[in-house]
Amino acid sequence: MSGETVPAVMPAAFIGHGSPMNALELNRYTQAWRAFGRAVPRPRAILVVSAHWYVGATAVTAMPRPRTIHDFYGFPQELFDVAYPAPGLPELAEEVADVVHPTWVGADVDSWGIDHGTWSVLTHAFPDADIPVVQLSINAFKGLDHHLDLGARLAPLRERGVLVVASGNVVHNLRGVDPRLLDEGFDWARRFDEAAKDVMLARPTEVAALDAHRDFDRAVPTPDHFIPLLYLAGLADAAGDGAQVLVDGVAVDDRLHAGVVLPHRRPAGRRARPAGRRAARLGQHLTDTRGVAAVSEP
């Protein structure tokens, strides 16, 4: 039909979420998340693969009103008071199960909700909490290649208005904290961060091979925060995309965090709008719409 709006292919993103305190703070990382939320098309729903739902099965939240989970301790009461009352979307659980078949996906109707790996980011990117949010668990019993493949299988959801967000950290070694470093990081952390960035820029399917990197064991002492990156790599491969850096840096606790974004694309034959003020807020970060942009945070 003439004049009919053809929906864009939604973005996909990997974001290094860092400390839960980022939910309350305004810094260059949370500002990048806010700019990202303003720049993308409004999603029908947001599907999040969070490092903090790391269990022995592949499951998806399927409740209409997921609870806000404060899965941490030792932080100020102000952080425990944060609520992210986004609705769920039970029918998206069925769609996820369909697109990743034959991988079995359980429907969680009462045990999980929205954890801080999700809401600490979305409270900046989509502060109104009016877009349905669904979480996909990380199956701790599966290897890296499995998660890379599962990420690729999620690709059809991008054409159905679903924004896929993977939330973790490239480098996540809490025992490596050294507050004296401030804006610097250990050499091993920087080497691994750069290696991961190089792979995501040009060869996302090789991201699982980073387990052979000499610094992998120190940078990734546990796989929970690293695995979400594999979902974005799988989506990038399915789209035939490379990557581009959105923002990166080092935290005061010596955790380098990088993230990745697949910028939205217009369907073939549709003319892209010229970059306006909204796109300009991301500056260089969304200039190459072929690829994946990295978002990092402290």
Side-chain angles (χ1 to χ4, degrees):
M1 180 182 298
S2 178
E4 182 179 1
T5 300
V6 179
V9 176
M10 288 301 300
F14 169 85
I15 294 177
H17 62 251
S19 167
M21 289 299 293
N22 282 309
L24 303 177
E25 295 174 357
L26 183 62
N27 52 50
R28 70 187 184 95
Y29 307 102
T30 60
Q31 287 175 326
W33 304 346
R34 292 182 180 195
F36 173 71
R38 292 191 296 263
V40 302
R42 180 178 172 84
R44 165 184 159 234
I46 304 170
L47 177 67
V48 183
V49 181
S50 168
H52 293 277
W53 197 16
Y54 186 68
V55 292
T58 303
V60 63
T61 54
M63 64 283 290
R65 288 288 170 185
R67 63 191 176 102
T68 302
I69 300 174
H70 299 89
D71 48 331
F72 43 74
Y73 59 89
F75 288 91
Q77 183 59 44
E78 185 181 7
L79 192 61
F80 288 91
D81 291 339
V82 172
Y84 193 76
L89 189 65
E91 56 263 40
L92 182 56
E94 299 178 8
E95 293 182 56
V96 171
D98 179 60
V99 298
V100 303
H101 182 78
T103 297
W104 180 86
V105 179
D108 172 24
V109 297
D110 57 11
S111 68
W112 204 240
I114 300 176
D115 61 51
H116 86 264
T118 297
W119 59 257
S120 64
V121 173
L122 297 188
T123 196
H124 290 285
F126 302 99
D128 293 335
D130 58 350
I131 299 171
V133 175
V134 170
Q135 286 201 205
L136 176 66
S137 74
I138 297 173
N139 191 329
F141 295 143
K142 299 296 185 180
L144 300 185
D145 287 333
H146 168 86
H147 296 290
L148 183 67
D149 176 70
L150 203 59
R153 291 174 183 270
L154 295 175
L157 298 178
R158 296 180 61 200
E159 300 178 359
R160 304 177 191 176
V162 178
L163 169 65
V164 181
V165 176
S167 178
N169 285 314
V170 171
V171 175
H172 188 258
N173 187 337
L174 296 180
R175 295 182 183 274
V177 170
D178 188 343
R180 297 171 299 177
L181 294 177
L182 295 179
D183 294 325
E184 299 179 3
F186 290 119
D187 289 345
W188 56 264
R190 291 190 176 279
R191 284 195 301 266
F192 188 77
D193 186 70
E194 287 299 320
K197 186 187 303 183
D198 289 345
V199 169
M200 290 302 298
L201 285 170
R203 307 177 307 281
T205 56
E206 297 180 17
V207 70
L210 285 170
D211 63 353
H213 190 279
R214 64 171 174 161
D215 299 308
F216 181 83
D217 289 341
R218 297 186 73 179
V220 188
T222 60
D224 47 330
H225 279 70
F226 179 73
I227 286 175
L229 181 65
L230 300 171
Y231 283 79
L232 195 282
L235 286 165
D237 180 54
D241 287 337
Q244 68 183 74
V245 174
L246 187 63
V247 57
D248 59 10
V250 59
V252 295
D253 58 5
D254 191 54
R255 284 173 292 163
L256 285 173
H257 311 298
V260 181
V261 176
L262 286 172
H264 71 276
R265 302 192 309 274
R266 299 273 165 188
R270 296 277 296 178
R271 231 173 131 182
R273 284 188 310 172
R277 300 181 80 181
R278 293 177 68 188
R281 290 193 183 102
L282 292 177
Q284 62 180 338
H285 312 309
L286 290 185
T287 56
D288 181 359
T289 57
R290 296 173 303 169
V292 183
V295 180
S296 100
E297 63 80 81

